Amino acid sequence: QKEVEQNSGPLSVPEGAIASLNCTYSDRVSQSFFWYRQYSGKSPELIMSIYSNGDKEDGRFTAQLNKASQYVSLLIRDSQPSDSATYLCAVNAGNNRKLIWGLGTSLAVNP
Amino acid sequence: GAGVSQSPSNKVTEKGKDVELRCDPISGHTALYWYRQSLGQGLEFLIYFQGNSAPDKSGLPSDRFSAERTGGSVSTLTIQRTQQEDSAVYLCASSLARSSGNTIYFGEGSWLTVV
């Protein structure tokens, strides 16, 4: 079992819809969770970080964390074509531990 | 500087030559990371620096790869006797420290093509 798993996609949604991206992780002691966006040919950029169970909202983005079920998700409301990218989930198990990356989910928002 | 700076942005080299890739992290960031990403693939961890020391070199794929960091700032990744399978984008990232809550920030990458 991979340490951080994401559906590779592509996930295709129409413009204006909600895109839901999911990530599961295997290490129960994981403490920090990050969502990065990577456009084709570019480097990853941070979208959101979340550390506590529940929801965290930032503009059109909402991160949801459920440590009991070991998943973290990213919701993108009112999806735009400019949101088309690969979304990477990253998980850190604690201080001085390596950040573990998923392989990413490719999102396509269709006009 | 304002962000992580990497050079060169693009490098084409002949098989068998050595290459050096440079990374200048965000000012004040003590942790520095090198990753590799092949076309259409995920991020592959190479090495982590805390200050000038490298407590985690577990991702270096072979002894042709080495890295150093001086003055707690600039890092150089060296690939000796390059092979075609080394072609990838090499991403450098930095964070305030390796504690779990610290976000890492990436540079724009050095695109390496070995011909």
Side-chain angles (χ1 to χ4, degrees):
Chain A
Q1 180 188 8
K2 292 181 182 172
E3 293 179 81
V4 176
E5 292 206 51
Q6 299 181 253
N7 189 323
S8 63
L11 174 65
S12 183
V13 300
E15 184 174 357
I18 296 176
S20 178
L21 304 161
N22 298 312
C23 172
T24 59
Y25 59 93
S26 60
D27 192 338
R28 284 195 167 274
V29 301
S30 297
Q31 297 181 0
S32 306
F33 308 84
F34 304 87
W35 282 101
Y36 281 77
R37 177 177 62 200
Q38 186 174 26
Y39 291 115
S40 180
K42 298 294 186 181
S43 59
E45 56 180 336
L46 180 72
I47 297 294
M48 293 190 71
S49 58
I50 187 167
Y51 308 103
S52 304
N53 277 329
D55 294 0
K56 179 181 178 182
E57 187 174 319
D58 183 1
R60 295 187 296 111
F61 298 94
T62 299
Q64 299 176 319
L65 175 61
N66 184 323
K67 290 187 178 181
S69 301
Q70 294 176 236
Y71 81 79
V72 55
S73 62
L74 180 69
L75 301 179
I76 307 174
R77 290 182 299 282
D78 188 24
S79 296
Q80 302 297 309
S82 59
D83 295 327
S84 299
T86 296
Y87 289 80
L88 301 170
C89 172
V91 176
N92 191 305
N95 285 349
N96 210 33
R97 296 283 298 274
K98 189 183 305 183
L99 196 61
I100 306 299
W101 295 84
L103 295 180
T105 297
S106 174
L107 173 66
V109 180
N110 304 309
Chain B
V4 179
S5 178
Q6 292 189 246
S7 61
S9 54
N10 284 283
K11 176 74 175 178
V12 179
T13 190
E14 292 181 352
K15 178 181 172 181
K17 301 275 181 147
D18 297 353
V19 296
E20 282 190 355
L21 308 176
R22 175 189 166 103
C23 173
D24 197 348
I26 294 172
S27 178
H29 281 195
T30 62
L32 185 148
Y33 313 79
W34 283 99
Y35 289 88
R36 178 170 72 174
Q37 190 174 34
S38 301
L39 197 61
Q41 302 300 308
L43 291 171
E44 178 186 3
F45 169 79
L46 298 179
I47 187 169
Y48 151 67
F49 286 93
Q50 179 59 46
N52 291 336
S53 64
D56 189 348
K57 307 179 184 179
S58 61
L60 293 177
S62 75
D63 59 7
R64 295 187 296 106
F65 289 73
S66 63
E68 65 175 12
R69 189 179 185 194
T70 56
S73 182
V74 171
S75 175
T76 303
L77 177 68
T78 301
I79 309 173
Q80 295 179 309
R81 305 181 302 281
T82 52
Q83 303 294 312
Q84 288 185 328
E85 62 263 28
D86 299 334
S87 296
V89 59
Y90 290 81
L91 292 164
C92 178
S94 70
S95 67
L96 279 171
R98 204 189 193 185
S99 63
S100 64
N102 281 299
T103 303
I104 71 170
Y105 298 91
F106 286 87
E108 290 301 312
S110 290
W111 293 78
L112 175 66
T113 303
V114 182
V115 297

